[in-house]
Amino acid sequence: MYAEAFDNQNVATFRRWSAEARNIVLLSHMNADGDACGSLLGLALMMEHASEKGCRVTPILPNGCPKNFTWLPGAERIVSGESQQDFCHTAISEAGLIVCVDLSSASRTDMLQDELLQAKGKKVLIDHHHNPSADQFDIIFSDPHISSTCELVLWLSQAMWGSRHMDSDVARCLYTGLSTDTGGFAFSCDQPSCFEAAAVLVKYNIEPAEIHNRIINTFSLDRMKFYGFALSQRMRVYPGKRVALMAFSLDDQRRFGVGGEDMEGLVNYTLMMKEIEVGALLREEPGRTKVSLRAKYGVDVNRLAAQLGGGGHTKAAGATCLLPFDETLKAVEKLLGIENEEPINLLPA
Ligand SMILES: [Mn+2]
């Protein structure tokens, strides 16, 4: 079982810190996804059970729980760094133990970064991104070959506590990240441990179909209208280069009243054409542009994202560019080798 892969010393130390701490803060990244929310809440529930002294566990997300994950057990307890900045700063600076999940560097906590770096408490990282910032944490449990942080949290909890603190609420949280980070067990699941984790979680009376519906089948009419626009007016296909790209200006987003949360998963549509190997989605934000990259087979988009100052995983990565929107678009076109190519639009005007 995967739990045997952890360093025994680190497991024992983390177990001791968890048992002794009176104030524990759990933190994940800005614009949390299913894996960030699931690992944050699943671990928070288990650490509360595991505490010998009735410790206070505070789960924090830089900009709060995204609305599509408010159904997760314990989600109502998530504190937003954005709307309760003073509270979060105090909680982080007073915590005896700070556990960061699903992020590779403190910078991903945005406005909480300075507080996190200066905090005196013990710091533990549990993550599956490439190149974690080792100097920012006391202990790191990291493996980029693992499907999701939720999977790592499951195996780590087994190594520390066996099944003592597992229940159906924890299983629901952890299954969510396992499912979202693998696109419903479609990618990033080439290790047997991913399916072993799913098998363990399903024993706790969770309903995978119900969780799938809550994650995927949740569109509002406006969001579906936006997808119609996105596919018909904004998808550019470069079959000769095996690339497809979508780019959305702030004007596009205002027109349909949509934001980043509504585009979660949209980039995957670029890969649905059989000719396409690499897909990109650009979304303008005030003062910056978010770039998401996806790949099917040989291409390592983590490397491509690194050239834009970002990173992530081999098949899914991203970057935040501070250049103006049109310049970011040009940089991405160049990166993908399509700067001199004429795209095919799916529905030419
Ligand atoms: Mn993840």
Side-chain angles (χ1 to χ4, degrees), residues 1 11-12 14-16 18-19 42-43 45-52 153-171 174 200 204:
M1 188 210 289
V11 170
F14 185 33
R15 179 172 48 218
R16 182 163 47 80
S18 304
L43 186 60
L45 292 169
M46 286 192 283
M47 292 190 87
E48 238 159 24
H49 289 186
S51 162
E52 289 165 11
V153 165
L154 174 66
W155 298 137
L156 184 57
S157 74
Q158 298 221 330
M160 291 202 295
W161 306 306
S163 305
R164 280 199 293 291
H165 309 302
M166 278 295 299
D167 60 22
S168 65
D169 280 352
V170 174
L174 298 185
V200 169
Y204 290 90

Short mmCIF file of all heavy atoms in Angstrom, two decimals, residues 1 11-12 14-16 18-19 42-43 45-52 153-171 174 200 204:
data_model
loop_
_atom_site.label_atom_id
_atom_site.label_comp_id
_atom_site.label_asym_id
_atom_site.label_seq_id
_atom_site.Cartn_x
_atom_site.Cartn_y
_atom_site.Cartn_z
N MET A 1 0.83 -1.21 0.00
CA MET A 1 0.00 0.00 0.00
C MET A 1 0.87 1.26 0.00
O MET A 1 1.98 1.25 0.50
CB MET A 1 -0.89 -0.02 1.25
CG MET A 1 -1.92 1.09 1.26
SD MET A 1 -2.28 1.58 2.93
CE MET A 1 -3.18 0.14 3.48
N VAL A 11 6.34 10.96 9.39
CA VAL A 11 4.98 10.57 9.77
C VAL A 11 4.81 10.66 11.29
O VAL A 11 3.83 11.23 11.80
CB VAL A 11 4.66 9.14 9.27
CG1 VAL A 11 3.34 8.64 9.87
CG2 VAL A 11 4.58 9.12 7.74
N ALA A 12 5.79 10.14 12.01
CA ALA A 12 5.72 10.14 13.48
C ALA A 12 5.73 11.57 14.02
O ALA A 12 4.98 11.90 14.95
CB ALA A 12 6.88 9.34 14.06
N PHE A 14 4.77 14.37 12.43
CA PHE A 14 3.51 15.03 12.09
C PHE A 14 2.39 14.54 13.01
O PHE A 14 1.56 15.32 13.48
CB PHE A 14 3.17 14.78 10.61
CG PHE A 14 1.95 15.51 10.12
CD1 PHE A 14 1.60 16.77 10.61
CD2 PHE A 14 1.14 14.95 9.14
CE1 PHE A 14 0.47 17.45 10.15
CE2 PHE A 14 0.01 15.61 8.67
CZ PHE A 14 -0.32 16.86 9.18
N ARG A 15 2.38 13.24 13.31
CA ARG A 15 1.36 12.69 14.21
C ARG A 15 1.48 13.33 15.60
O ARG A 15 0.48 13.72 16.21
CB ARG A 15 1.51 11.17 14.31
CG ARG A 15 0.48 10.53 15.25
CD ARG A 15 0.53 9.02 15.18
NE ARG A 15 1.89 8.54 15.28
CZ ARG A 15 2.38 7.49 14.59
NH1 ARG A 15 1.61 6.82 13.77
NH2 ARG A 15 3.63 7.12 14.74
N ARG A 16 2.71 13.49 16.06
CA ARG A 16 2.92 14.09 17.38
C ARG A 16 2.50 15.57 17.38
O ARG A 16 1.78 16.02 18.28
CB ARG A 16 4.40 13.95 17.78
CG ARG A 16 4.73 14.51 19.16
CD ARG A 16 6.07 13.98 19.67
NE ARG A 16 7.13 14.04 18.69
CZ ARG A 16 7.84 15.15 18.40
NH1 ARG A 16 7.59 16.27 19.03
NH2 ARG A 16 8.79 15.12 17.48
N SER A 18 0.34 16.96 15.49
CA SER A 18 -1.13 17.02 15.37
C SER A 18 -1.79 16.77 16.73
O SER A 18 -2.79 17.39 17.07
CB SER A 18 -1.65 15.95 14.40
OG SER A 18 -1.03 16.08 13.16
N ALA A 19 -1.23 15.81 17.48
CA ALA A 19 -1.82 15.47 18.78
C ALA A 19 -1.62 16.57 19.80
O ALA A 19 -2.47 16.81 20.66
CB ALA A 19 -1.21 14.16 19.28
N GLY A 42 -11.33 17.33 4.41
CA GLY A 42 -11.14 15.95 4.85
C GLY A 42 -10.10 15.87 5.96
O GLY A 42 -10.29 15.22 6.99
N LEU A 43 -8.99 16.60 5.75
CA LEU A 43 -7.93 16.59 6.76
C LEU A 43 -8.36 17.33 8.03
O LEU A 43 -8.06 16.89 9.14
CB LEU A 43 -6.65 17.20 6.18
CG LEU A 43 -5.42 17.13 7.06
CD1 LEU A 43 -5.05 15.68 7.38
CD2 LEU A 43 -4.23 17.83 6.40
N LEU A 45 -11.34 17.54 9.32
CA LEU A 45 -12.22 16.66 10.09
C LEU A 45 -11.41 15.60 10.83
O LEU A 45 -11.64 15.33 12.02
CB LEU A 45 -13.24 15.97 9.15
CG LEU A 45 -14.29 16.89 8.52
CD1 LEU A 45 -15.06 16.16 7.42
CD2 LEU A 45 -15.25 17.43 9.57
N MET A 46 -10.43 15.01 10.14
CA MET A 46 -9.63 13.96 10.78
C MET A 46 -8.75 14.53 11.90
O MET A 46 -8.58 13.91 12.94
CB MET A 46 -8.77 13.23 9.74
CG MET A 46 -9.60 12.30 8.87
SD MET A 46 -8.58 11.18 7.88
CE MET A 46 -8.04 12.27 6.58
N MET A 47 -8.18 15.72 11.67
CA MET A 47 -7.28 16.28 12.69
C MET A 47 -8.06 16.65 13.95
O MET A 47 -7.53 16.55 15.05
CB MET A 47 -6.54 17.50 12.13
CG MET A 47 -5.56 17.10 11.04
SD MET A 47 -4.44 18.41 10.53
CE MET A 47 -3.13 18.22 11.72
N GLU A 48 -9.31 17.05 13.76
CA GLU A 48 -10.15 17.35 14.92
C GLU A 48 -10.40 16.09 15.73
O GLU A 48 -10.28 16.10 16.96
CB GLU A 48 -11.48 17.94 14.44
CG GLU A 48 -11.74 19.29 15.01
CD GLU A 48 -12.75 20.04 14.17
OE1 GLU A 48 -13.54 19.38 13.47
OE2 GLU A 48 -12.72 21.27 14.22
N HIS A 49 -10.74 15.00 15.03
CA HIS A 49 -10.93 13.71 15.72
C HIS A 49 -9.66 13.29 16.45
O HIS A 49 -9.70 12.74 17.55
CB HIS A 49 -11.25 12.59 14.72
CG HIS A 49 -12.61 12.70 14.11
ND1 HIS A 49 -13.10 11.72 13.28
CD2 HIS A 49 -13.56 13.64 14.18
CE1 HIS A 49 -14.30 12.07 12.86
NE2 HIS A 49 -14.60 13.23 13.40
N ALA A 50 -8.52 13.53 15.78
CA ALA A 50 -7.25 12.98 16.28
C ALA A 50 -6.70 13.77 17.46
O ALA A 50 -5.86 13.26 18.20
CB ALA A 50 -6.22 12.96 15.15
N SER A 51 -7.17 15.00 17.62
CA SER A 51 -6.59 15.84 18.67
C SER A 51 -6.86 15.27 20.06
O SER A 51 -7.97 14.87 20.37
CB SER A 51 -7.19 17.24 18.57
OG SER A 51 -6.98 17.92 19.78
N GLU A 52 -5.84 15.26 20.88
CA GLU A 52 -6.00 14.75 22.23
C GLU A 52 -6.42 15.83 23.20
O GLU A 52 -6.81 15.58 24.33
CB GLU A 52 -4.67 14.13 22.69
CG GLU A 52 -4.36 12.83 21.96
CD GLU A 52 -2.91 12.40 22.13
OE1 GLU A 52 -2.21 12.97 22.97
OE2 GLU A 52 -2.51 11.47 21.41
N VAL A 153 -3.56 12.67 1.19
CA VAL A 153 -4.11 12.85 2.54
C VAL A 153 -4.66 11.52 3.06
O VAL A 153 -4.46 11.16 4.23
CB VAL A 153 -5.20 13.95 2.55
CG1 VAL A 153 -6.03 13.89 3.83
CG2 VAL A 153 -4.55 15.33 2.41
N LEU A 154 -5.32 10.76 2.19
CA LEU A 154 -5.84 9.46 2.61
C LEU A 154 -4.71 8.54 3.07
O LEU A 154 -4.76 7.98 4.17
CB LEU A 154 -6.63 8.79 1.47
CG LEU A 154 -7.08 7.36 1.78
CD1 LEU A 154 -8.12 7.34 2.90
CD2 LEU A 154 -7.63 6.66 0.55
N TRP A 155 -3.66 8.41 2.22
CA TRP A 155 -2.57 7.48 2.57
C TRP A 155 -1.80 7.97 3.80
O TRP A 155 -1.39 7.18 4.64
CB TRP A 155 -1.61 7.29 1.39
CG TRP A 155 -2.25 6.70 0.17
CD1 TRP A 155 -2.06 7.10 -1.12
CD2 TRP A 155 -3.17 5.59 0.10
NE1 TRP A 155 -2.80 6.33 -1.99
CE2 TRP A 155 -3.48 5.40 -1.27
CE3 TRP A 155 -3.77 4.76 1.05
CZ2 TRP A 155 -4.36 4.41 -1.71
CZ3 TRP A 155 -4.65 3.77 0.61
CH2 TRP A 155 -4.93 3.60 -0.74
N LEU A 156 -1.64 9.29 3.89
CA LEU A 156 -0.92 9.83 5.05
C LEU A 156 -1.71 9.60 6.33
O LEU A 156 -1.15 9.24 7.37
CB LEU A 156 -0.65 11.33 4.83
CG LEU A 156 0.16 12.05 5.89
CD1 LEU A 156 1.52 11.38 6.08
CD2 LEU A 156 0.35 13.53 5.51
N SER A 157 -3.04 9.79 6.25
CA SER A 157 -3.87 9.57 7.44
C SER A 157 -3.79 8.10 7.86
O SER A 157 -3.77 7.79 9.05
CB SER A 157 -5.32 9.98 7.17
OG SER A 157 -5.98 9.05 6.34
N GLN A 158 -3.73 7.19 6.87
CA GLN A 158 -3.62 5.76 7.21
C GLN A 158 -2.27 5.47 7.87
O GLN A 158 -2.20 4.67 8.80
CB GLN A 158 -3.80 4.91 5.95
CG GLN A 158 -5.18 5.11 5.35
CD GLN A 158 -5.79 3.83 4.85
OE1 GLN A 158 -5.09 2.92 4.44
NE2 GLN A 158 -7.10 3.75 4.89
N ALA A 159 -1.23 6.12 7.36
CA ALA A 159 0.09 5.91 7.95
C ALA A 159 0.14 6.44 9.39
O ALA A 159 0.79 5.86 10.25
CB ALA A 159 1.16 6.60 7.10
N MET A 160 -0.58 7.55 9.64
CA MET A 160 -0.53 8.16 10.98
C MET A 160 -1.49 7.50 11.96
O MET A 160 -1.18 7.30 13.11
CB MET A 160 -0.89 9.65 10.88
CG MET A 160 0.18 10.48 10.19
SD MET A 160 0.06 12.23 10.62
CE MET A 160 -1.50 12.67 9.93
N TRP A 161 -2.71 7.23 11.48
CA TRP A 161 -3.77 6.85 12.41
C TRP A 161 -4.49 5.55 12.03
O TRP A 161 -5.51 5.22 12.66
CB TRP A 161 -4.85 7.96 12.47
CG TRP A 161 -4.33 9.32 12.79
CD1 TRP A 161 -3.56 9.69 13.87
CD2 TRP A 161 -4.56 10.54 12.05
NE1 TRP A 161 -3.31 11.04 13.83
CE2 TRP A 161 -3.91 11.59 12.74
CE3 TRP A 161 -5.26 10.85 10.88
CZ2 TRP A 161 -3.93 12.91 12.29
CZ3 TRP A 161 -5.28 12.16 10.43
CH2 TRP A 161 -4.61 13.18 11.14
N GLY A 162 -4.06 4.87 10.97
CA GLY A 162 -4.88 3.75 10.48
C GLY A 162 -6.20 4.30 9.97
O GLY A 162 -6.23 5.38 9.40
N SER A 163 -7.31 3.59 10.23
CA SER A 163 -8.62 4.07 9.76
C SER A 163 -9.40 4.75 10.88
O SER A 163 -10.60 5.01 10.74
CB SER A 163 -9.45 2.89 9.23
OG SER A 163 -8.73 2.21 8.25
N ARG A 164 -8.74 5.03 12.01
CA ARG A 164 -9.44 5.50 13.21
C ARG A 164 -10.31 6.73 12.99
O ARG A 164 -11.35 6.87 13.59
CB ARG A 164 -8.43 5.79 14.34
CG ARG A 164 -7.96 4.55 15.06
CD ARG A 164 -7.36 4.88 16.41
NE ARG A 164 -6.10 5.62 16.31
CZ ARG A 164 -4.97 5.11 15.84
NH1 ARG A 164 -4.94 3.86 15.40
NH2 ARG A 164 -3.86 5.83 15.79
N HIS A 165 -9.84 7.67 12.15
CA HIS A 165 -10.57 8.93 12.04
C HIS A 165 -11.32 9.08 10.72
O HIS A 165 -11.79 10.15 10.38
CB HIS A 165 -9.60 10.10 12.26
CG HIS A 165 -8.82 9.94 13.52
ND1 HIS A 165 -9.43 9.81 14.75
CD2 HIS A 165 -7.48 9.83 13.74
CE1 HIS A 165 -8.49 9.65 15.68
NE2 HIS A 165 -7.32 9.64 15.09
N MET A 166 -11.43 7.98 10.00
CA MET A 166 -12.16 7.99 8.73
C MET A 166 -13.66 7.81 9.01
O MET A 166 -14.06 7.04 9.86
CB MET A 166 -11.70 6.83 7.85
CG MET A 166 -10.42 7.08 7.08
SD MET A 166 -10.58 8.39 5.85
CE MET A 166 -11.85 7.72 4.78
N ASP A 167 -14.47 8.56 8.26
CA ASP A 167 -15.92 8.31 8.26
C ASP A 167 -16.46 8.74 6.90
O ASP A 167 -15.69 9.12 6.02
CB ASP A 167 -16.61 9.04 9.43
CG ASP A 167 -16.43 10.54 9.36
OD1 ASP A 167 -16.15 11.08 8.27
OD2 ASP A 167 -16.57 11.19 10.40
N SER A 168 -17.78 8.69 6.73
CA SER A 168 -18.31 8.96 5.40
C SER A 168 -18.14 10.43 5.01
O SER A 168 -17.97 10.75 3.83
CB SER A 168 -19.76 8.53 5.30
OG SER A 168 -20.55 9.32 6.15
N ASP A 169 -18.15 11.35 5.97
CA ASP A 169 -17.92 12.77 5.64
C ASP A 169 -16.50 12.97 5.09
O ASP A 169 -16.31 13.65 4.07
CB ASP A 169 -18.10 13.66 6.88
CG ASP A 169 -19.56 13.95 7.16
OD1 ASP A 169 -20.41 13.59 6.30
OD2 ASP A 169 -19.86 14.52 8.23
N VAL A 170 -15.52 12.38 5.77
CA VAL A 170 -14.14 12.49 5.30
C VAL A 170 -14.03 11.85 3.91
O VAL A 170 -13.41 12.42 2.99
CB VAL A 170 -13.17 11.80 6.28
CG1 VAL A 170 -11.76 11.80 5.71
CG2 VAL A 170 -13.20 12.50 7.64
N ALA A 171 -14.64 10.67 3.73
CA ALA A 171 -14.55 9.96 2.46
C ALA A 171 -15.16 10.80 1.32
O ALA A 171 -14.62 10.85 0.22
CB ALA A 171 -15.26 8.61 2.57
N LEU A 174 -12.63 13.51 0.40
CA LEU A 174 -11.44 13.02 -0.29
C LEU A 174 -11.78 12.47 -1.68
O LEU A 174 -11.02 12.66 -2.64
CB LEU A 174 -10.72 11.96 0.55
CG LEU A 174 -10.20 12.45 1.92
CD1 LEU A 174 -9.41 11.34 2.61
CD2 LEU A 174 -9.34 13.71 1.77
N VAL A 200 -10.95 2.25 -1.25
CA VAL A 200 -11.01 2.48 0.21
C VAL A 200 -12.18 3.43 0.52
O VAL A 200 -12.99 3.18 1.41
CB VAL A 200 -9.68 3.07 0.73
CG1 VAL A 200 -9.84 3.55 2.17
CG2 VAL A 200 -8.56 2.04 0.62
N TYR A 204 -16.93 3.59 2.56
CA TYR A 204 -17.57 4.43 3.58
C TYR A 204 -18.94 4.96 3.14
O TYR A 204 -19.33 6.08 3.47
CB TYR A 204 -16.64 5.59 3.98
CG TYR A 204 -15.45 5.10 4.77
CD1 TYR A 204 -14.28 4.74 4.12
CD2 TYR A 204 -15.52 4.95 6.15
CE1 TYR A 204 -13.19 4.25 4.82
CE2 TYR A 204 -14.44 4.46 6.87
CZ TYR A 204 -13.29 4.11 6.20
OH TYR A 204 -12.22 3.63 6.91
#
